[in-house]
Amino acid sequence: MIIRGISKGQETQIKATTHGELLVRAITETEIEHASSTGRAFIFQSSNSDIGAGDTRLFIKNTSDDFLILDRLIINPGNVVCRYDIGMGSDITTPTGTAITAVNMNQQFSGTTFGYVAFDDETAVADTTTLLSVTCSTTESLQVPIDGIILGKNHYIQINQETESTSGQVCVIAHFEEDLI
């Protein structure tokens, strides 16, 4: 059975089964892929540097009205085995350290910004609820799925490097929620 319909302003044929069910083809993409296609996906990356044990390697605070949805954390190894504590909080903070500008995952939107503050080697170390602790060896990067962690307005995540090392780097891949209404 063929049904006539309109697609992008032009008449098209829509196929259906003999029971009247439409035949469709779906293309799926992950949420982070979709966010990147609309300029809402970002990479937050710390430097590869020496920080004190217990300092915050990467601090990200959402100051936008849109949710900041975290996807994954990548830890690049230091010169010793390091433990990292990943925590969330919502206290009033005045972070200090080296400001970081997130990189848009779609260069077509490289000038697009959203509300956030991010710091490398953040030494004020705000209070958090530790969500998890991970240990990274000296030989391989560690990818930690953190999808489902969502930062509302004025909520933050911080990754503390709990072991003294003369190097180490972390990266968070995240996107701002799209208003679908």
Side-chain angles (χ1 to χ4, degrees), residues 75-97:
I75 302 172
N76 294 310
N79 64 325
V80 298
V81 174
C82 288
R83 190 183 96 230
Y84 294 85
D85 288 347
I86 296 100
M88 286 178 56
S90 60
D91 291 341
I92 295 173
T93 60
T94 306
T96 61

Side-chain angles (χ1 to χ4, degrees), residues 1-18:
M1 173 187 301
I2 296 183
I3 303 168
R4 298 223 180 264
I6 304 293
S7 173
K8 295 186 180 181
Q10 297 184 3
E11 186 175 313
T12 187
Q13 292 183 350
I14 302 169
K15 295 182 180 180
T17 68
T18 56

Side-chain angles (χ1 to χ4, degrees), residues 140-155:
E140 294 180 9
S141 294
L142 178 64
Q143 189 166 171
V144 182
I146 54 175
D147 51 325
I149 296 177
I150 299 173
L151 302 179
K153 185 171 186 170
N154 295 321
H155 291 191

Side-chain angles (χ1 to χ4, degrees), residues 129-150:
T129 299
T130 300
L131 301 173
L132 69 143
S133 296
V134 295
T135 301
C136 186
S137 73
T138 60
T139 57
E140 294 180 9
S141 294
L142 178 64
Q143 189 166 171
V144 182
I146 54 175
D147 51 325
I149 296 177
I150 299 173

Side-chain angles (χ1 to χ4, degrees), residues 98-160:
T98 305
I100 292 174
T101 301
V103 176
N104 195 304
M105 289 175 58
N106 183 337
Q107 286 302 293
Q108 181 177 340
F109 298 97
S110 62
T112 304
T113 59
F114 286 85
Y116 70 86
V117 292
F119 287 89
D120 177 26
D121 193 10
E122 199 279 318
T123 55
V125 187
D127 289 333
T128 64
T129 299
T130 300
L131 301 173
L132 69 143
S133 296
V134 295
T135 301
C136 186
S137 73
T138 60
T139 57
E140 294 180 9
S141 294
L142 178 64
Q143 189 166 171
V144 182
I146 54 175
D147 51 325
I149 296 177
I150 299 173
L151 302 179
K153 185 171 186 170
N154 295 321
H155 291 191
Y156 53 86
I157 186 168
Q158 66 185 36
I159 298 100
N160 291 350

